[in-house]
Structures are given as C-alpha cells and as structure tokens.
Amino acid sequence: MTAVPYRAVPDTSSWPQCDGVLPGGVECRGRRVEPHTACLAHLPGADRSAYLAGLRPGADLDHRGTDFTEELLSELLTALTEPSTHEPRIGQARFERATFRGDVRFDLVEFDTDAVFDGAKITGDISFDQAEIGGRALFRQVKIGGNGSFDRMKVRRRVVFEGVKIDGNAVFDRMKVGGRAVFDGAKIGRDACFKGTEIVGYFSFGQVDVGGDARFDRAAVSGTASFRGLRAGGQVSFLGAAFESAALIGPLVCARTLTLSEAVFGGAVTMEAAAAAVRCRRTQWASTAALRLRYAAVDLSDAVVEYPLSIAARSRPFIVDGEELDEPGLMDPGVRVMSLRGVDAAHLVLTGVDLTECLFTGTLHLDQLRLEGRYTLAVAPSGLRRRGMRPVRWTPRRTLAEEHHWRAARGWGTDGWMPAPQGEEVQEPAALAPVYRQLRKAFEDSKHEPGAADFYYGEMEMRRHAEDIPWTERSLLTAYWALSGYGLRASRALGWLMVAMTTTVLAMMLWGLPQNDPKPKSTGTVADRRITMTTDIPDPVNPDGPYDERLTTGRFEKSLRTVINSVIFRSSDQQLTTAGTYTEMASRLAEPALLGLAVLAIRGRLKR
C-alpha cells in the first residue's frame, strides 16, 4: 500500500549537538544543555546536578536527540515536581528523536504547552496516563517497543500520532482532545483501544494496521471522522460510539466482527468494509447512510433508520490509493442479512444480498422494503423428501427462514427444512402470515407479480396452519391448496382437470350415453281432409349389458365430444340419460373452475 506522506520530522542537524559518544562508539546527537557542550545524558555529575537543581516546575525542556535511561528521566521529572501536588509540571517539552531505554512514564504530568516526541524511540513501554497537555501532543513516527498507554490523557489542542509504531497494545481510553486527532499510518502490533475517547475536532485513523482488535466503544467525535484503509487482524468495534458529523468508515478490512451496535451517526455515513460479520443492533442513523460490504453477515436488529439506508454487496475488493486491500482469513465475499427485526424498512434498500437466513418477524413497514439487484431467499426443500413414512415433494417456492424454523420444529415432515439457531424463538404461522403479506405487497408495488406469487403462497400456507383460523376456513383453504396450489400452480389445476374430465368421459361411456341414439317418430291423423303430423323423440334408453361392451371407440368419441363441448364451449347437443344429464351438470360446474384456476396460475407467473 502507498505510504502516507507524513510531515517531515527535523533531523538531528537542526540543533547544537552533544560532543559525547554513545555505547558502541556511536556519536551522540543529543542537544547540548547550554552553556555546556554535552547533552543531559553526557553532562558530568556536578554539572547535571546543578542543571537539575536549577529547574523549577513549569520550566521548558529541550532535550532533542538525547539518550535517556529510566533513572535519568526519573531525575528530570523529580526536579520538575510541584510541591503542592507532588506531580511534575513542564512548560514546553521537546524530545524529538530522543531515545528512551526501558519504560517511559509521564503519568499525571502536566504540560503547560506542547509535548513534542516526534521521531522518538522507546525500547520499553510508554505511559501518559492522566497526563494533561495544554497545547499539542505530537508523536509523529515514534517507535515504541512495548505497550503505549494514554489512558485519560487530556490534550487542549490537537493530537498527532502519524506513522507511530507500537509493538504491543495501544490504549487511549477516555482520552479527551480539544482539537484534531490524527493517527494516519500508525502500526499497532496488538490491540488499539479508544474506549470513551472524546474528540472535539477531526478524527483521522486512515491506513492504520492493527494486529489485534481496534475498539472505539463509547467514543464521541464532534468533527468529521475517517477510517479509510484501516486493517485489523481481530475485531473493530464502535459499540455505543457517537459521530456528530459525517463519517467515512473504510474501506477497511476486519478479520472478525465489525460492531456498530448502539452507535449514533448524526451526519452522513459511508461505510465500506470487508468483515466476517457486521452488527448494527440498535444503531441510530440520523442521516443518509450507505453500507458497501463484502463477506459480512449483517445483523440490523432494532436499528433506527430515519433516512435512506442502503446496504449493497460489493463483488470486487476495495481499492485504496490504487491498490487492492488484502483480505486475509475471509472466505465467501457474499453479504448475508441475518435479521431485520425491529427495523423500520420504509427507508431501507438492499442490493445483491443473501436473505436466506434473514429474520423478518417484527420488521416495521416491511411492505415498503426495496430489494434490488440479485438477491437470494430461502427455498423449500427440493426433490423427494420423507414425511413420516411416505415420500413427499414440496412445492418449489421462496420462503422465509422463520417458516423453515417452524416446520423443522414440528417433529414430523422436517426433512430438508432448516432448524432455528440455538436460542432463537420459533415463530408460529399466525405471526408469519402478516410477514408474507407485507412482502407480497412490496413486490406487487414494485410490479414484480411473479415474485409476489411465492409470498402469497406462503401467506396462504401460514393461514391454513394457523390455530386462530376457524376449522371451516382452514378446510376451504386446504381444498384450495389441494386443487390448485392457491390458484398459483397451473400443473396441479390442470392435473385435476384431466382427472375430472377423464372421470366424466368414463361415466358418460358407462352410464351417460343411451343404448342407442333415440330416433324421432312421426304420427299423423286425418280429419275433414286435414292431415296432422306429430314428431316425438323417445326417451333415451339406459345402456345395459356388460361394462366392457360399453367401452367402445364410438362411445368414447361421443363422450369426449360431449365433455369438451360442455366444459369449454358450454353447449352439448348429445341426448343423455338421466345419469348423463347430472354428470354433465356437475362437469359444467367443476371443470371450468379448474380450467380457470389453471389460467389464473399461468397469468400470475407471466404478469408484469
């Protein structure tokens, strides 16, 4: 990745240098202590004692490039200790390019103006716990061999840790900064903690490498915040953090979980992240927000969405300064939404996400949810499955994960259905029917009628199984399901139509057609040279004889023509027996209804 262009740290040639020699024969580059020709580390004992004795609390220090030991630093701070508070107080402190061998402790030290440690090297730990700095705290390109602790440090103006390298943990918990805080290009070997940190100005945490977790829990940033190019080997947590202005979170890479739960975003937010999981439980977005994610399993339970919020899956790695961010340890780049419970979906747009395991129950205004791009929902088990002792084939359709959980928990017919996660409450059909109904309306409003059909099927299934529905209504729903799949399965309706027509044709051949077609008979009378003619058609004669003799080609052709004419063209000129007449009446009632259900199902799949 391209390095961050830091402000240059002055080299040792910019100040009067010591004439001493460090261990190993290296020329000392520490700043002289005037009027001497040596730095504090190389002052003779009597001169050092005199210098330290002349210091008073609040004095300015300029020990740039000096090689400090723990004992020397302790002597220096002791000389600056306030008698009333028993804590050191320094005016302006300049330790650029100084070397500190061992641990460095400035706990409870008060700096009247600036504390400058640019380019310093610390072989052990450094601690500024509860230190107070009246001006700036500058730690550009500092190298710390151990841990860095700045717990409850207060800085009146700005804090700069550009290019700092900390081999251990970096703790900035409850730090208060009156101006900017810049950490661009920092490298932290283990965890970085900013819990409860308060920053009044701009907060920049760009292109930072954190070997472990990066935690900003309960942090408060009044100015713009940027986390562009952050990479963490563990978690990144903004639990309960508050960002009053715009925030740019990412592109970042998090090997584990990115937590935004209970965070408050007062300004516009753009988040680009590659993380194993993204938790946004009870997160508050008071302005527009765009989340572009990779790999993540997203939990939006009870999130507060006041303005448009878009969540989109990104197919390609993020790019920072022309180079792709490495994504070690992350497997599937697809984005899965795990829960929308408690979310007001009126402003929510999901693009290209996987909703296979998503929990929808309890989502508000679900009928206004917008799904764009290529999205995936759970589907009913495919192929032949076992339902008790008999095989079944479930109707192919998109379903809710909650329906999977309910069917898997029934104890029978569970083959292929996905069980609920451990600890997750299984929702009953009465609670799932309204969810299907709202999703159906969302698809209908977007003119996606074929997609809405699956949700209508799910709604009817839940109504059919709901315990709060009267048994008479459930019986009607069961018949509706069996005959035509709630008017959505043309194959089922056409199958029943074929069965009904075949039964009708067979009944006509056996009992409906008369033994012979009745032939009209004419009779006449003569009275007073007038002839009166009367033509009668005899009543059809019921067929008799063995059934196999009635199953002839001729009778089949007549029966088929009669059934087709009565079902489709609603007319029939065939003379029928009494049984045939009632059979035709029944077919005229039932079979056109089945035909209509088949046409309705086909139209539902083709309508736009």
Side-chain angles (χ1 to χ4, degrees):
M1 181 181 298
T2 305
V4 178
Y6 310 118
R7 185 180 303 172
V9 177
D11 59 28
T12 56
S13 63
S14 61
W15 57 77
Q17 295 183 8
C18 172
D19 57 4
V21 178
L22 296 174
V26 179
E27 182 180 350
C28 178
R29 298 185 181 276
R31 191 185 190 284
R32 297 177 182 178
V33 175
E34 301 296 344
H36 306 286
T37 61
C39 67
L40 181 61
H42 289 100
L43 277 179
D47 292 339
R48 181 189 297 179
S49 298
Y51 169 75
L52 295 176
L55 293 176
R56 295 291 180 269
D60 293 341
L61 299 179
D62 188 349
H63 295 292
R64 291 172 284 180
T66 303
D67 189 7
F68 281 92
T69 62
E70 291 186 22
E71 293 77 14
L72 180 58
L73 180 60
S74 177
E75 291 176 9
L76 180 61
L77 295 179
T78 300
L80 297 167
T81 300
E82 284 275 11
S84 59
T85 62
H86 303 289
E87 302 297 344
R89 183 168 69 86
I90 305 173
Q92 183 185 56
R94 301 195 65 177
F95 292 93
E96 292 103 312
R97 294 192 180 275
T99 300
F100 296 88
R101 303 183 186 278
D103 295 338
V104 177
R105 298 194 177 279
F106 285 87
D107 298 341
L108 298 171
V109 176
E110 181 181 351
F111 297 83
D112 292 341
T113 57
D114 297 340
V116 184
F117 288 79
D118 291 344
K121 296 180 180 179
I122 298 96
T123 61
D125 298 339
I126 185 171
S127 177
F128 272 73
D129 293 348
Q130 301 184 56
E132 296 186 12
I133 301 175
R136 302 170 299 169
L138 304 180
F139 290 82
R140 293 174 295 173
Q141 301 183 48
V142 171
K143 296 181 180 180
I144 302 172
N147 300 317
S149 180
F150 303 84
D151 184 41
R152 289 174 287 180
M153 183 176 73
K154 296 180 180 179
V155 182
R156 184 174 182 180
R157 294 178 65 186
R158 67 174 181 267
V159 169
V160 181
F161 279 81
E162 286 181 331
V164 68
K165 184 177 183 299
I166 303 176
D167 291 344
N169 296 314
V171 179
F172 298 87
D173 294 346
R174 294 165 288 181
M175 180 178 66
K176 295 184 178 180
V177 182
R180 293 187 172 190
V182 181
F183 289 79
D184 293 343
K187 296 183 183 299
I188 301 171
R190 298 177 66 184
D191 296 340
C193 298
F194 290 79
K195 297 179 180 179
T197 296
E198 298 179 13
I199 300 172
V200 174
Y202 173 69
F203 183 32
S204 182
F205 208 74
Q207 297 188 23
V208 177
D209 288 341
V210 180
D213 297 341
R215 295 188 174 275
F216 304 87
D217 300 344
R218 311 297 174 189
V221 182
S222 300
T224 302
S226 175
F227 299 86
R228 185 172 181 268
L230 169 62
R231 293 182 292 188
Q235 303 183 41
V236 176
S237 177
F238 294 92
L239 178 66
F243 298 91
E244 295 184 11
S245 301
L248 175 62
I249 301 179
L252 64 83
V253 174
C254 172
R256 296 173 63 187
T257 301
L258 171 60
T259 300
L260 300 175
S261 298
E262 302 179 18
V264 179
F265 295 94
V269 182
T270 300
M271 188 179 81
E272 297 179 323
V278 176
R279 292 179 182 172
C280 302
R281 297 174 181 173
R282 296 178 295 280
T283 304
Q284 298 182 40
W285 282 284
S287 185
T288 56
L291 278 61
R292 305 182 185 99
L293 306 174
R294 286 172 56 80
Y295 303 98
V298 185
D299 185 352
L300 289 170
S301 298
D302 300 314
V304 178
V305 182
E306 301 179 18
Y307 288 84
L309 168 65
S310 63
I311 299 178
R314 182 182 173 95
S315 60
R316 296 183 178 180
F318 296 108
I319 297 176
V320 176
D321 293 336
E323 296 185 13
E324 292 184 353
L325 282 176
D326 294 333
E327 301 170 341
L330 298 174
M331 303 298 293
D332 183 6
V335 175
R336 295 170 292 137
V337 177
M338 307 303 292
S339 175
L340 294 178
R341 288 183 173 177
V343 179
D344 189 341
H347 301 293
L348 187 60
V349 181
L350 304 179
T351 304
V353 299
D354 185 346
L355 300 170
T356 302
E357 303 175 62
C358 185
L359 305 178
F360 288 96
T361 308
T363 305
L364 305 176
H365 299 121
L366 189 56
D367 58 325
Q368 300 180 42
L369 174 67
R370 289 178 56 189
L371 297 176
E372 298 181 353
R374 184 176 180 178
Y375 51 87
T376 306
L377 288 155
V379 296
S382 60
L384 289 176
R385 301 283 177 171
R386 295 188 61 83
R387 189 173 185 179
M389 298 299 294
R390 60 187 179 89
V392 296
R393 180 181 178 275
W394 297 101
T395 300
R397 61 185 174 92
R398 287 180 285 191
T399 65
L400 297 180
E402 286 105 327
E403 181 181 347
H404 273 260
H405 301 165
W406 170 71
R407 291 189 182 275
R410 296 180 70 186
W412 59 278
T414 63
D415 184 26
W417 295 97
M418 177 176 58
Q422 186 174 3
E424 185 64 46
E425 181 182 359
V426 177
Q427 300 296 322
E428 295 298 321
L432 298 181
V435 179
Y436 273 115
R437 187 178 306 117
Q438 293 186 66
L439 285 173
R440 171 176 60 85
K441 185 176 183 299
F443 275 61
E444 290 175 345
D445 291 344
S446 63
K447 308 302 180 182
H448 188 4
E449 296 289 346
D454 282 347
F455 295 116
Y456 175 72
Y457 192 103
E459 175 191 353
M460 300 299 284
E461 276 286 273
M462 295 301 99
R463 288 182 58 196
R464 184 166 68 93
H465 291 285
E467 296 182 354
D468 60 341
I469 301 296
W471 70 269
T472 53
E473 183 176 343
R474 289 205 303 268
S475 299
L476 290 174
L477 290 173
T478 301
Y480 192 22
W481 162 76
L483 291 176
S484 64
Y486 308 112
L488 297 174
R489 298 297 180 258
S491 59
R492 193 176 303 181
L494 290 173
W496 281 111
L497 177 61
M498 293 298 102
V499 171
M501 292 181 67
T502 301
T503 303
T504 303
V505 169
L506 183 60
M508 286 292 185
M509 293 174 65
L510 295 176
W511 303 288
L513 297 179
Q515 181 71 26
N516 297 299
D517 291 336
K519 297 180 179 180
K521 293 183 178 180
S522 299
T523 58
T525 58
V526 178
D528 297 331
R529 293 182 295 180
R530 290 188 305 171
I531 300 175
T532 303
M533 301 296 295
T534 302
T535 302
D536 294 325
I537 300 178
D539 293 333
V541 178
N542 292 327
D544 55 9
Y547 287 146
D548 57 349
E549 293 181 1
R550 306 179 195 179
L551 302 177
T552 63
T553 303
R555 292 178 66 84
F556 171 76
E557 190 275 332
K558 290 181 180 179
S559 299
L560 181 60
R561 185 176 63 248
T562 300
V563 171
I564 292 176
N565 282 332
S566 63
V567 172
I568 299 178
F569 302 106
R570 311 295 291 170
S571 65
S572 175
D573 57 359
Q574 177 67 48
Q575 293 291 327
L576 302 175
T577 64
T578 302
T581 301
Y582 282 105
T583 300
E584 183 188 33
M585 292 170 60
S587 69
R588 284 193 178 190
L589 177 64
E591 292 166 14
L594 292 172
L595 180 60
L597 290 174
V599 173
L600 179 65
I602 295 173
R603 179 179 179 272
R605 288 298 178 181
L606 298 178
K607 184 179 178 181
R608 290 292 186 272

